[in-house]
Amino acid sequence: MSHPDVIVVGGGIGGLGAAFSLTRQGLGVRLLESAPAFGEVGAGIQLAPNCTRILDDYGLLEEAKSLGVVPDAMVMRDAVDGDELTRLDLRHLERRYGYPYLVIHRSDLHGLLLRACERAGVELINDARVTSYENTAAGARVSLASGETHEAGVVIAADGLHSVARGLLVDDEPVSSAYVAYRGTVPAEQPRVRDVDLSEVVVYVGPRCHFVHYGLRGGEMLNQVAVFESPKALAGRDDWGTPDELDAAFADTCDFVRDGLPFMWRDKWWRMFDRDPVMRWVHGRIALLGDSAHPPLQYIAQGAIMAIEDGWVLGEQAARHRAADGAVDWTTALAAYEAVRPEHCRRVLTTSRAWGELWHLDGVARERRNALLRARDTYDYSFTDWLYGPTALTPDQEPEMFTPIPLSSAPAGEAALAGGAS
């Protein structure tokens, strides 16, 4: 394509999802990825029903299920004593929302979307680092570090936490939470795995730390995530999140959690950042998508899902505002996209921060939280309906407003079970 209809910048999960969504609407899409090859770093990722409904619409759900695990339950335990606090029956949850809760390796999800883009005819270009964006009379243009330029009717910036395009709309920086995530996978033949129920997604919540585990690839491996607050980060040091801090953070947790720490990758860790919510995502014919618009903390496992939702909504709005000659009214389509998505994503961002605080309580506050969680009915969905239902995807429906409920009331404890740092 000498002049595609759409340029997508970024070949991560969000960029690939958007490219596929727009291509299946009959648009010519060029995707620019800065890396020399496509790939995804990390381990497991959780896909709630608000994502699997989109994969089903894309015709990709069965392939995703074959690559991942559909667990039976999500369980929350206290990281200090190991006692169960509450659970979600994920099979019942599937019946409620119509789509399953799925866990999958990030690279498997990324590969699934990459193959879908290849089949659909997306033009995939590597070694294309975008350094600037600008609007033109006919659409938008991006410039690469190589000196090349690319133009299209619209540019979708899925360029991540450190987005260049975001600077067109707001002058801000990523916000450090001072928390660090370690990840690791354990092969099924290890004795560690034999002590685990791979049909469960389990999160152990503790003072200033938490630990997550679940099965991947049909039970061939156990995915583990250990998250903790870094004293070095709080002290303003640059060398924060090191393995010595990992061991110290979990020293007072139960045996099962401590026994999992030797299986974490100790040569790399992920510092946890988000950004403050913004309600403007569109600058002329340039639109933000995924982490460039709304990078969340991981506590309700919605980061990649929100990016996939963004792409689906873009595709639907492009189809809705397309004339008989095939031309998309991008001004109207992008305005509709910006009307549907930012409020929901703002709510996810602020809720993720609140759930992180709730999970990491200590002292009397921890005891109160635990009491609220133990009192929760397994089949109470009052705090997952807004997240797992279709509200954020319905173009005709105004996003509902959100008033946070304080910790002293029971539903706040219920909400803490939704997802986990994956």
Side-chain angles (χ1 to χ4, degrees), residues 274-353:
D274 66 358
R275 285 195 190 235
D276 292 330
V278 293
M279 304 305 287
R280 288 189 58 229
W281 296 5
V282 176
H283 176 72
R285 292 292 185 87
I286 302 164
L288 306 181
L289 180 140
D291 280 356
S292 68
H294 47 73
L297 296 176
Q298 294 92 325
Y299 299 113
I300 57 175
Q302 287 286 307
I305 294 175
M306 285 196 295
I308 291 172
E309 286 182 338
D310 290 347
W312 187 90
V313 171
L314 265 176
E316 293 300 303
Q317 294 298 345
R320 176 172 293 205
H321 299 288
R322 195 167 190 178
D325 63 359
V328 175
D329 178 355
W330 283 114
T331 300
T332 304
L334 293 179
Y337 168 67
E338 192 175 52
V340 170
R341 294 296 296 157
E343 171 56 28
H344 176 78
C345 294
R346 181 204 65 80
R347 182 175 179 180
V348 171
L349 282 172
T350 56
T351 301
S352 296
R353 290 176 174 179

Coordinates of all heavy atoms in Angstrom, one line a residue, residues 274-353:
D274 N 2.0 3.8 36.2 CA 0.8 4.1 35.4 C 0.9 5.6 35.1 O 1.9 6.2 35.2 CB -0.5 3.7 36.2 CG -0.8 4.6 37.4 OD1 0.1 5.4 37.8 OD2 -1.8 4.4 38.1
R275 N -0.2 6.1 34.6 CA -0.3 7.6 34.3 C -1.6 8.1 34.8 O -2.6 7.3 34.9 CB -0.1 7.9 32.8 CG 1.3 7.8 32.3 CD 1.4 8.5 30.9 NE 2.6 8.2 30.2 CZ 3.4 9.2 29.8 NH1 3.1 10.4 30.0 NH2 4.5 8.9 29.1
D276 N -1.7 9.3 35.1 CA -3.0 9.9 35.5 C -3.9 9.9 34.3 O -3.5 10.0 33.2 CB -2.8 11.3 36.0 CG -2.0 11.4 37.3 OD1 -2.1 10.4 38.1 OD2 -1.3 12.4 37.5
P277 N -5.2 9.6 34.6 CA -6.2 9.5 33.5 C -6.3 10.8 32.7 O -6.2 11.9 33.3 CB -7.5 9.3 34.3 CG -7.1 8.7 35.6 CD -5.8 9.4 35.9
V278 N -6.5 10.7 31.4 CA -6.8 11.8 30.5 C -8.0 11.5 29.8 O -8.3 10.4 29.4 CB -5.6 12.1 29.6 CG1 -4.4 12.6 30.4 CG2 -5.2 10.9 28.7
M279 N -8.8 12.5 29.5 CA -10.1 12.4 28.8 C -10.0 12.7 27.3 O -11.0 12.5 26.6 CB -11.2 13.2 29.5 CG -11.3 12.8 31.0 SD -11.6 11.1 31.3 CE -13.3 10.9 30.8
R280 N -8.9 13.3 26.9 CA -8.7 13.6 25.5 C -7.7 12.6 24.9 O -6.6 12.6 25.3 CB -8.3 15.1 25.3 CG -9.3 16.1 25.5 CD -8.8 17.5 25.1 NE -8.5 17.5 23.7 CZ -7.3 18.0 23.2 NH1 -6.4 18.5 24.0 NH2 -7.1 18.0 21.9
W281 N -8.1 11.9 23.9 CA -7.3 10.9 23.3 C -7.0 11.2 21.8 O -6.3 10.5 21.1 CB -7.9 9.5 23.3 CG -8.1 8.9 24.7 CD1 -7.8 9.5 25.9 CD2 -8.5 7.6 25.0 NE1 -8.1 8.7 26.9 CE2 -8.6 7.5 26.4 CE3 -8.9 6.5 24.2 CZ2 -9.0 6.3 27.0 CZ3 -9.3 5.4 24.8 CH2 -9.4 5.2 26.2
V282 N -7.7 12.2 21.2 CA -7.7 12.4 19.8 C -7.2 13.8 19.5 O -7.6 14.8 20.1 CB -9.1 12.3 19.2 CG1 -9.1 12.6 17.7 CG2 -9.6 10.9 19.4
H283 N -6.2 13.9 18.6 CA -5.6 15.2 18.2 C -5.7 15.2 16.6 O -4.9 14.6 15.9 CB -4.2 15.3 18.6 CG -3.5 16.5 18.1 ND1 -3.7 17.8 18.6 CD2 -2.5 16.7 17.2 CE1 -2.9 18.6 18.0 NE2 -2.2 18.0 17.2
G284 N -6.8 15.8 16.1 CA -7.0 15.8 14.7 C -7.2 14.4 14.2 O -8.2 13.7 14.6
R285 N -6.3 13.9 13.3 CA -6.5 12.5 12.8 C -5.5 11.6 13.5 O -5.1 10.5 13.0 CB -6.2 12.5 11.3 CG -7.3 13.2 10.5 CD -8.6 12.5 10.5 NE -9.6 13.1 9.7 CZ -9.7 12.8 8.4 NH1 -8.9 12.0 7.8 NH2 -10.7 13.4 7.7
I286 N -5.0 11.9 14.7 CA -4.1 11.1 15.5 C -4.9 10.7 16.8 O -5.4 11.6 17.5 CB -2.8 11.8 15.8 CG1 -2.1 12.3 14.5 CG2 -1.9 11.0 16.7 CD1 -1.1 13.3 14.7
A287 N -4.9 9.4 17.0 CA -5.7 8.9 18.2 C -4.8 8.0 19.0 O -4.1 7.1 18.5 CB -6.9 8.2 17.8
L288 N -4.9 8.1 20.3 CA -4.2 7.2 21.3 C -5.0 5.9 21.5 O -6.2 5.9 21.4 CB -4.0 7.9 22.6 CG -3.3 9.3 22.6 CD1 -3.2 9.8 24.1 CD2 -1.9 9.2 22.0
L289 N -4.2 4.9 21.8 CA -4.9 3.6 22.0 C -4.0 2.8 23.0 O -2.8 2.8 23.0 CB -5.0 2.8 20.7 CG -5.7 1.4 20.8 CD1 -6.6 1.2 19.6 CD2 -4.7 0.3 20.9
G290 N -4.7 2.1 23.9 CA -4.0 1.2 24.8 C -3.2 2.0 25.9 O -3.6 3.1 26.3
D291 N -1.9 1.5 26.2 CA -1.2 2.2 27.2 C -0.8 3.6 26.9 O -0.4 4.4 27.8 CB 0.1 1.3 27.5 CG -0.2 0.1 28.4 OD1 -1.3 0.0 28.9 OD2 0.8 -0.6 28.6
S292 N -0.8 4.0 25.7 CA -0.5 5.4 25.4 C -1.6 6.3 25.9 O -1.3 7.5 26.3 CB -0.3 5.6 23.9 OG -1.6 5.5 23.2
A293 N -2.8 5.8 26.0 CA -3.9 6.6 26.6 C -4.2 6.3 28.0 O -4.5 7.2 28.8 CB -5.2 6.3 25.8
H294 N -4.0 5.1 28.5 CA -4.5 4.7 29.8 C -3.7 3.5 30.4 O -4.2 2.4 30.6 CB -6.0 4.3 29.7 CG -6.3 3.3 28.6 ND1 -5.9 2.0 28.6 CD2 -6.9 3.5 27.4 CE1 -6.3 1.4 27.5 NE2 -6.9 2.3 26.8
P295 N -2.4 3.7 30.7 CA -1.6 2.6 31.3 C -2.0 2.4 32.7 O -1.8 3.3 33.5 CB -0.2 3.1 31.1 CG -0.3 4.6 31.1 CD -1.6 4.9 30.5
P296 N -2.6 1.2 33.1 CA -3.0 1.0 34.5 C -2.0 0.3 35.3 O -1.1 -0.4 34.7 CB -4.3 0.2 34.3 CG -3.9 -0.7 33.1 CD -3.0 0.1 32.2
L297 N -2.1 0.3 36.6 CA -1.5 -0.7 37.4 C -2.2 -2.0 37.2 O -3.3 -2.1 36.8 CB -1.5 -0.3 38.9 CG -0.7 1.0 39.2 CD1 -0.9 1.4 40.7 CD2 0.8 0.9 38.8
Q298 N -1.5 -3.1 37.6 CA -2.0 -4.4 37.1 C -3.1 -5.1 38.0 O -3.5 -6.2 37.8 CB -0.8 -5.4 37.0 CG 0.2 -5.0 36.0 CD 1.3 -4.1 36.5 OE1 1.1 -3.3 37.3 NE2 2.5 -4.3 35.9
Y299 N -3.5 -4.4 39.0 CA -4.3 -5.1 40.1 C -5.6 -5.7 39.7 O -6.1 -6.6 40.4 CB -4.4 -4.2 41.3 CG -3.1 -3.8 41.9 CD1 -2.6 -2.4 41.8 CD2 -2.2 -4.7 42.4 CE1 -1.4 -2.1 42.2 CE2 -1.0 -4.4 42.9 CZ -0.6 -3.0 42.8 OH 0.7 -2.7 43.3
I300 N -6.2 -5.2 38.6 CA -7.5 -5.8 38.2 C -7.3 -6.5 36.8 O -8.3 -6.8 36.2 CB -8.7 -4.9 38.3 CG1 -8.5 -3.6 37.4 CG2 -9.0 -4.5 39.7 CD1 -9.7 -2.8 37.4
A301 N -6.1 -6.7 36.4 CA -5.7 -7.4 35.2 C -6.5 -7.0 34.0 O -7.1 -7.8 33.3 CB -6.0 -8.9 35.4
Q302 N -6.4 -5.7 33.7 CA -7.2 -5.1 32.6 C -6.4 -4.3 31.6 O -7.0 -3.8 30.6 CB -8.3 -4.2 33.1 CG -9.5 -4.9 33.8 CD -10.4 -5.6 32.8 OE1 -10.9 -5.0 31.9 NE2 -10.6 -6.9 33.0
G303 N -5.1 -4.2 31.7 CA -4.3 -3.4 30.8 C -4.4 -3.8 29.4 O -4.8 -3.0 28.5
A304 N -4.0 -5.1 29.0 CA -4.1 -5.5 27.7 C -5.6 -5.6 27.2 O -5.9 -5.3 26.0 CB -3.5 -6.9 27.5
I305 N -6.5 -5.9 28.1 CA -7.9 -6.0 27.7 C -8.4 -4.7 27.3 O -9.2 -4.6 26.3 CB -8.7 -6.6 28.9 CG1 -8.3 -8.0 29.2 CG2 -10.2 -6.5 28.7 CD1 -9.0 -8.6 30.4
M306 N -8.1 -3.6 28.0 CA -8.6 -2.3 27.6 C -8.1 -1.9 26.3 O -8.8 -1.3 25.5 CB -8.1 -1.2 28.7 CG -8.9 -1.3 29.9 SD -8.7 0.3 30.9 CE -7.0 0.1 31.3
A307 N -6.8 -2.3 25.9 CA -6.3 -2.0 24.6 C -7.0 -2.8 23.5 O -7.3 -2.2 22.5 CB -4.8 -2.4 24.6
I308 N -7.4 -4.0 23.8 CA -8.2 -4.8 22.9 C -9.6 -4.2 22.7 O -10.1 -4.2 21.6 CB -8.2 -6.3 23.3 CG1 -6.8 -6.9 23.1 CG2 -9.2 -7.1 22.5 CD1 -6.7 -8.3 23.7
E309 N -10.1 -3.8 23.8 CA -11.4 -3.1 23.7 C -11.4 -1.9 22.9 O -12.2 -1.6 22.0 CB -11.9 -2.7 25.1 CG -12.4 -3.9 26.0 CD -12.9 -3.4 27.3 OE1 -12.5 -2.3 27.8 OE2 -13.7 -4.1 27.9
D310 N -10.3 -1.1 23.1 CA -10.1 0.2 22.3 C -10.2 -0.2 20.8 O -10.8 0.5 20.0 CB -8.8 0.8 22.6 CG -8.7 1.4 23.9 OD1 -9.7 1.6 24.6 OD2 -7.5 1.8 24.3
G311 N -9.4 -1.2 20.4 CA -9.4 -1.6 19.0 C -10.7 -2.0 18.4 O -11.1 -1.7 17.3
W312 N -11.4 -2.8 19.2 CA -12.8 -3.2 18.8 C -13.7 -2.0 18.6 O -14.4 -2.0 17.5 CB -13.3 -4.2 19.8 CG -14.6 -4.8 19.4 CD1 -14.7 -6.0 18.7 CD2 -15.9 -4.4 19.6 NE1 -16.1 -6.3 18.5 CE2 -16.8 -5.3 19.0 CE3 -16.5 -3.2 20.2 CZ2 -18.2 -5.1 19.0 CZ3 -17.9 -3.0 20.2 CH2 -18.7 -4.0 19.6
V313 N -13.7 -1.1 19.5 CA -14.6 0.1 19.4 C -14.2 0.9 18.2 O -15.0 1.4 17.4 CB -14.5 0.9 20.7 CG1 -15.3 2.2 20.5 CG2 -15.2 0.2 21.8
L314 N -12.9 1.1 17.9 CA -12.4 1.8 16.7 C -13.0 1.2 15.5 O -13.5 1.9 14.6 CB -10.9 1.9 16.7 CG -10.2 3.1 17.3 CD1 -8.7 2.9 17.2 CD2 -10.6 4.3 16.5
G315 N -12.8 -0.2 15.4 CA -13.3 -0.8 14.2 C -14.8 -0.7 14.0 O -15.3 -0.4 12.9
E316 N -15.6 -0.8 15.1 CA -17.0 -0.6 15.0 C -17.4 0.8 14.6 O -18.3 1.0 13.8 CB -17.7 -1.0 16.4 CG -17.6 -2.4 16.8 CD -18.2 -3.3 15.7 OE1 -19.4 -3.1 15.5 OE2 -17.5 -4.2 15.2
Q317 N -16.7 1.8 15.1 CA -17.0 3.2 14.8 C -16.6 3.5 13.3 O -17.3 4.2 12.6 CB -16.4 4.2 15.7 CG -16.9 4.1 17.2 CD -18.4 4.4 17.3 OE1 -18.9 5.0 16.3 NE2 -19.0 4.1 18.4
A318 N -15.5 2.9 12.9 CA -15.1 3.1 11.5 C -16.2 2.5 10.5 O -16.6 3.1 9.5 CB -13.8 2.4 11.2
A319 N -16.7 1.4 10.9 CA -17.8 0.7 10.1 C -19.1 1.5 10.1 O -19.8 1.7 9.1 CB -18.0 -0.7 10.6
R320 N -19.4 2.1 11.3 CA -20.6 2.8 11.4 C -20.6 4.1 10.7 O -21.7 4.6 10.2 CB -20.8 3.1 12.9 CG -22.1 3.9 13.3 CD -22.3 4.0 14.7 NE -22.8 2.7 15.3 CZ -23.5 2.5 16.3 NH1 -23.9 3.6 17.0 NH2 -23.8 1.3 16.7
H321 N -19.4 4.7 10.5 CA -19.3 6.0 9.9 C -18.6 6.0 8.6 O -17.8 6.8 8.2 CB -18.6 7.0 10.8 CG -19.3 7.2 12.1 ND1 -20.5 7.9 12.2 CD2 -19.1 6.7 13.4 CE1 -20.9 7.9 13.5 NE2 -20.1 7.2 14.2
R322 N -19.0 4.9 7.8 CA -18.4 4.7 6.5 C -19.4 5.0 5.4 O -20.5 4.4 5.5 CB -17.8 3.3 6.4 CG -16.9 3.1 5.2 CD -16.2 1.7 5.4 NE -15.1 1.6 4.4 CZ -14.3 0.6 4.3 NH1 -14.4 -0.4 5.1 NH2 -13.3 0.6 3.4
A323 N -19.1 5.7 4.4 CA -20.0 6.1 3.3 C -20.1 4.9 2.3 O -19.3 4.0 2.4 CB -19.5 7.4 2.7
A324 N -21.0 5.1 1.4 CA -21.2 4.0 0.4 C -20.0 3.8 -0.5 O -19.8 2.7 -1.0 CB -22.4 4.4 -0.5
D325 N -19.2 4.9 -0.7 CA -18.0 4.7 -1.5 C -16.8 4.1 -0.7 O -15.7 4.0 -1.2 CB -17.6 6.1 -2.1 CG -17.2 7.1 -1.0 OD1 -17.3 6.8 0.2 OD2 -16.8 8.2 -1.4
G326 N -17.0 3.8 0.6 CA -16.0 3.2 1.4 C -15.2 4.1 2.2 O -14.4 3.7 3.1
A327 N -15.4 5.4 2.0 CA -14.6 6.4 2.8 C -15.1 6.5 4.2 O -16.4 6.6 4.4 CB -14.6 7.8 2.1
V328 N -14.3 6.5 5.2 CA -14.7 6.7 6.6 C -14.6 8.2 6.9 O -13.7 8.9 6.6 CB -13.7 5.9 7.5 CG1 -14.0 6.1 9.0 CG2 -13.8 4.4 7.2
D329 N -15.7 8.6 7.6 CA -15.7 9.9 8.2 C -15.0 9.9 9.5 O -15.5 9.6 10.6 CB -17.2 10.4 8.4 CG -17.3 11.8 9.1 OD1 -16.2 12.3 9.4 OD2 -18.4 12.2 9.3
W330 N -13.6 10.0 9.4 CA -12.8 9.8 10.6 C -13.0 10.9 11.7 O -12.9 10.6 12.9 CB -11.3 9.8 10.2 CG -10.9 8.6 9.5 CD1 -10.5 8.4 8.2 CD2 -10.9 7.3 10.2 NE1 -10.2 7.1 8.0 CE2 -10.4 6.3 9.2 CE3 -11.2 6.8 11.4 CZ2 -10.2 5.0 9.4 CZ3 -11.0 5.4 11.7 CH2 -10.5 4.5 10.7
T331 N -13.4 12.1 11.3 CA -13.7 13.1 12.3 C -14.8 12.6 13.3 O -14.7 12.6 14.5 CB -14.1 14.4 11.7 OG1 -13.0 14.9 10.9 CG2 -14.4 15.4 12.8
T332 N -15.9 12.1 12.7 CA -17.0 11.6 13.5 C -16.7 10.3 14.2 O -17.0 10.1 15.4 CB -18.2 11.4 12.6 OG1 -18.5 12.6 11.9 CG2 -19.5 11.0 13.4
A333 N -16.0 9.4 13.5 CA -15.6 8.1 14.1 C -14.7 8.2 15.3 O -14.9 7.6 16.3 CB -15.0 7.2 13.0
L334 N -13.7 9.1 15.2 CA -12.8 9.3 16.3 C -13.5 10.1 17.4 O -13.2 9.8 18.6 CB -11.6 10.1 15.8 CG -10.6 9.4 14.9 CD1 -9.5 10.3 14.5 CD2 -10.1 8.1 15.5
A335 N -14.4 11.0 17.1 CA -15.2 11.6 18.2 C -16.0 10.6 18.9 O -16.1 10.7 20.2 CB -16.0 12.7 17.6
A336 N -16.6 9.7 18.2 CA -17.4 8.6 18.9 C -16.5 7.7 19.8 O -16.9 7.4 20.9 CB -18.2 7.8 17.9
Y337 N -15.4 7.4 19.2 CA -14.4 6.6 20.0 C -14.0 7.3 21.3 O -14.0 6.7 22.4 CB -13.2 6.3 19.1 CG -11.9 5.8 19.8 CD1 -11.9 4.5 20.3 CD2 -10.8 6.6 19.9 CE1 -10.7 4.0 20.9 CE2 -9.6 6.1 20.4 CZ -9.6 4.8 20.9 OH -8.4 4.3 21.5
E338 N -13.8 8.6 21.2 CA -13.4 9.4 22.4 C -14.5 9.6 23.3 O -14.3 9.7 24.5 CB -12.8 10.7 21.9 CG -12.1 11.5 23.0 CD -11.5 12.8 22.5 OE1 -12.2 13.6 21.8 OE2 -10.3 12.9 22.7
A339 N -15.7 9.5 22.8 CA -16.9 9.6 23.7 C -17.2 8.3 24.5 O -17.7 8.3 25.6 CB -18.1 10.0 22.9
V340 N -16.9 7.2 23.9 CA -17.2 5.9 24.5 C -16.1 5.4 25.5 O -16.5 4.9 26.6 CB -17.3 4.8 23.4 CG1 -17.4 3.4 24.0 CG2 -18.6 5.1 22.5
R341 N -14.8 5.6 25.2 CA -13.8 4.9 25.9 C -13.2 5.6 27.2 O -12.9 4.9 28.2 CB -12.7 4.5 25.0 CG -13.1 3.5 23.9 CD -13.5 2.2 24.5 NE -12.3 1.6 25.2 CZ -12.4 0.7 26.2 NH1 -13.6 0.3 26.6 NH2 -11.3 0.2 26.7
P342 N -12.9 6.9 27.1 CA -12.1 7.4 28.2 C -12.7 7.3 29.6 O -11.9 7.1 30.6 CB -11.9 8.9 27.8 CG -11.9 8.9 26.3 CD -13.0 7.8 26.0
E343 N -14.0 7.5 29.8 CA -14.5 7.4 31.1 C -14.4 6.0 31.7 O -14.0 5.9 32.9 CB -16.0 7.9 31.1 CG -16.7 7.6 32.4 CD -16.1 8.3 33.7 OE1 -15.4 9.3 33.5 OE2 -16.2 7.7 34.8
H344 N -14.7 5.0 30.9 CA -14.5 3.7 31.4 C -13.0 3.4 31.8 O -12.8 2.8 32.8 CB -14.9 2.6 30.4 CG -14.7 1.2 30.8 ND1 -15.5 0.6 31.6 CD2 -13.7 0.3 30.4 CE1 -15.1 -0.7 31.8 NE2 -14.0 -0.8 31.1
C345 N -12.1 3.8 31.0 CA -10.7 3.6 31.2 C -10.2 4.4 32.4 O -9.4 3.9 33.2 CB -9.9 3.8 30.0 SG -10.2 2.7 28.6
R346 N -10.8 5.6 32.6 CA -10.4 6.4 33.8 C -10.9 5.6 35.1 O -10.1 5.5 36.1 CB -11.2 7.7 33.8 CG -10.9 8.6 35.0 CD -12.0 9.6 35.3 NE -13.3 8.9 35.7 CZ -13.5 8.4 36.9 NH1 -12.7 8.5 37.8 NH2 -14.7 7.8 37.1
R347 N -12.0 5.0 35.0 CA -12.5 4.2 36.1 C -11.6 3.0 36.4 O -11.3 2.7 37.5 CB -13.9 3.7 35.8 CG -14.6 3.0 37.0 CD -16.0 2.6 36.7 NE -16.6 1.9 37.7 CZ -17.9 1.5 37.8 NH1 -18.7 1.8 36.7 NH2 -18.4 0.8 38.8
V348 N -11.1 2.3 35.3 CA -10.2 1.2 35.5 C -8.9 1.7 36.1 O -8.4 1.0 37.1 CB -10.0 0.5 34.2 CG1 -8.8 -0.5 34.3 CG2 -11.2 -0.2 33.7
L349 N -8.4 2.8 35.7 CA -7.1 3.3 36.2 C -7.2 3.6 37.7 O -6.4 3.2 38.5 CB -6.7 4.6 35.5 CG -6.1 4.4 34.1 CD1 -5.9 5.8 33.5 CD2 -4.7 3.8 34.2
T350 N -8.3 4.3 38.1 CA -8.4 4.7 39.5 C -8.8 3.5 40.4 O -8.3 3.4 41.5 CB -9.5 5.8 39.7 OG1 -10.7 5.4 39.1 CG2 -9.0 7.1 38.9
T351 N -9.6 2.6 39.8 CA -9.9 1.4 40.6 C -8.7 0.5 40.8 O -8.5 0.0 41.9 CB -11.0 0.6 39.9 OG1 -12.2 1.4 39.7 CG2 -11.4 -0.6 40.7
S352 N -7.8 0.4 39.8 CA -6.6 -0.4 39.9 C -5.7 0.2 41.0 O -5.2 -0.6 41.8 CB -5.8 -0.4 38.6 OG -6.6 -1.0 37.6
R353 N -5.6 1.5 41.1 CA -4.8 2.1 42.2 C -5.5 1.7 43.6 O -4.8 1.4 44.5 CB -4.8 3.6 42.1 CG -3.9 4.0 40.9 CD -3.9 5.6 40.7 NE -3.0 6.0 39.7 CZ -2.8 7.3 39.4 NH1 -3.6 8.2 39.9 NH2 -1.9 7.6 38.4

